[in-house]
């Protein structure tokens, strides 16, 4: 499974590429907002354009998803093409992120606009990551339209399921992949019992039909979710910097290190 960093912060991008465990980057408007706020506070006079350019160079050879912010099909296509034209020449690694359904007003008739945009960008040879996926059928439609990556958002499904049962929870809390039972009923959203279940069902359908689009497990908030995304066969896991760090933490590893360090004989240190 490939590891992508879900961040637009240059320091985090540099750090993980230098560590050699980053296979790509995903950005979204909220992550770019964070980076812009950071830029305003820094002494360095970088522009957002130069900042993204640096990120693309660091990530050369691996995909970087840049998300459109327009809402209509025509506008998303134009913005997607313009972003690709501007930034892909930097390192040849830009993927355009298109929402499964850009409509936030149920009656605006834009529900298929994401699919139109994916088809059009695909025809133009522009790689696409379809984002904000909450059902396997959205993923299927995006794959049919030509999306290279489909991004089911695991953590946000878990948040919604927890909210539905009035649970108190922190953003990074673990939600069981097999779901929770309340009043003898499995808590679910339209047949999905957890974010990892959403990823797993999507993978299963794609494998069943030999669909080539890669399943990119997104909105992962803790290390155990990353493991479970791997267990259900996700091709890619995108995660924030803190989750990358969490992957390595175990108290016995730390205790073991303390003991090994104390036990190391001076003679061994002098060997090299
Ligand atoms: C992925 O492409 C998204 O940017 C991301 O994973 C969203 O994560 P969040 O739900 O934790 O904001």
């Amino acid at each position: 499974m490939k590891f992508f960093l879900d961040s637009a912060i240059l320091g985090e991008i540099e750090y993980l590429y230098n560590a050699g465990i980053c296979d790509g980057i995903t950005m979204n408007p909220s992550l770019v907002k964070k980076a812009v706020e950071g830029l305003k506070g820094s002494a360095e006079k970088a522009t957002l354009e130069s900042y993204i350019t640096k990120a693309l160079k660091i990530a050369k050879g691996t995909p970087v998803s840049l998300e459109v912010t327009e809402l209509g099909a025509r506008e998303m296509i134009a913005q997607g093409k313009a972003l690709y034209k501007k930034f892909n020449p930097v390192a040849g690694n830009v993927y355009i992120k298109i929402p499964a359904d850009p409509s936030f007003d149920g009656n605006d008739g834009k529900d298929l606009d994401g699919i139109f945009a994916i088809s059009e960008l695909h025809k133009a040879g522009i790689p696409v990551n379809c984002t904000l996926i909450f059902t396997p059928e959205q993923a299927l439609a995006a794959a049919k339209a030509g999306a290279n990556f489909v991004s089911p958002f695991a953590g946000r499904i878990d948040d919604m399921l927890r909210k539905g049962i009035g649970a108190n929870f922190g953003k990074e809390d673990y939600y069981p992949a097999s779901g929770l039972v309340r009043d003898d009923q499995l808590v679910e959203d339209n047949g999905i019992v957890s974010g990892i279940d959403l990823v797993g069902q999507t993978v299963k359908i794609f494998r069943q039909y030999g669909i080539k689009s890669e399943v990119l497990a997104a909105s992962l908030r803790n290390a155990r979710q990353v493991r479970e995304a791997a267990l259900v066969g996700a091709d890619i896991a995108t995660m924030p910097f803190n989750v990358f760090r969490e992957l390595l933490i175990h108290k016995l590893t730390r205790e073991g290190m303390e003991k090994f360090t104390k036990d190391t004989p001076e003679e061994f240190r002098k060997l090299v």
Side-chain angles (χ1 to χ4, degrees):
M1 183 171 67
K2 284 172 266 188
F3 283 172
F4 283 12
L5 172 65
D6 199 27
S7 172
I9 308 284
L10 210 51
E12 296 180 350
I13 295 170
E14 244 165 356
Y15 189 88
L16 286 176
Y17 273 89
N18 285 338
I21 54 165
C22 199
D23 305 306
I25 302 171
T26 49
M27 297 184 188
N28 65 35
S30 311
L31 295 172
V32 171
K33 181 177 174 216
K34 240 197 211 169
V36 167
E37 282 163 1
L39 278 178
K40 280 182 192 150
S42 88
E44 197 194 335
K45 285 282 161 267
T47 61
L48 182 58
E49 184 174 335
S50 68
Y51 195 85
I52 292 177
T53 301
K54 268 193 198 161
L56 292 170
K57 283 185 184 159
I58 296 168
K60 193 174 166 71
T62 67
V64 178
S65 296
L66 300 179
E67 186 158 345
V68 296
T69 51
E70 297 291 346
L71 302 178
R74 203 174 328 116
E75 294 80 2
M76 286 192 288
I77 293 163
Q79 190 187 21
K81 285 183 174 173
L83 280 170
Y84 190 77
K85 190 170 171 208
K86 183 180 200 87
F87 288 111
N88 195 55
V90 175
N93 52 354
V94 170
Y95 279 55
I96 298 297
K97 229 172 157 186
I98 301 282
D101 167 11
S103 155
F104 46 80
D105 166 2
N107 297 318
D108 62 9
K110 289 185 190 299
D111 6 341
L112 275 174
D113 279 26
I115 295 302
F116 269 102
I118 294 168
S119 292
E120 197 54 40
L121 294 178
H122 176 63
K123 274 187 235 147
I126 297 177
V128 173
N129 172 359
C130 179
T131 190
L132 284 168
I133 286 183
F134 294 96
T135 66
E137 49 274 25
Q138 285 179 325
L140 250 181
K144 269 182 172 295
N148 304 68
F149 299 153
V150 296
S151 295
F153 272 41
R156 292 192 193 192
I157 281 281
D158 294 344
D159 291 348
M160 188 177 75
L161 295 172
R162 274 186 280 234
K163 275 185 201 149
I165 54 172
N168 271 335
F169 63 95
K171 195 179 175 229
E172 280 142 27
D173 289 350
Y174 172 71
Y175 191 92
S178 55
L180 285 177
V181 175
R182 277 293 176 280
D183 305 325
D184 291 333
Q185 294 280 337
L186 199 53
V187 179
E188 50 131 343
D189 173 56
N190 189 26
I192 302 291
V193 302
S194 69
I196 291 299
D197 184 34
L198 167 66
V199 175
Q201 289 194 28
T202 306
V203 170
K204 194 171 174 202
I205 292 169
F206 279 28
R207 299 287 187 273
Q208 193 159 297
Y209 289 99
I211 293 169
K212 296 277 179 294
S213 317
E214 291 182 79
V215 178
L216 189 164
S219 183
L220 300 177
R221 309 309 183 32
N222 55 64
R224 189 159 167 188
Q225 255 184 338
V226 175
R227 178 205 311 166
E228 287 170 346
L231 280 170
V232 297
D235 300 287
I236 305 162
T238 192
M239 57 197 131
F241 188 72
N242 65 307
V243 176
F244 263 94
R245 299 188 66 174
E246 200 195 315
L247 296 178
L248 279 313
I249 296 170
H250 194 283
K251 76 174 176 10
L252 292 183
T253 308
R254 294 189 165 179
E255 277 175 30
M257 271 315 295
E258 198 178 355
K259 171 99 173 78
F260 289 159
T261 306
K262 274 195 199 131
D263 286 350
T264 307
E266 220 24 60
E267 290 82 346
F268 186 85
R269 289 208 173 87
K270 286 186 187 141
L271 289 175
V272 285

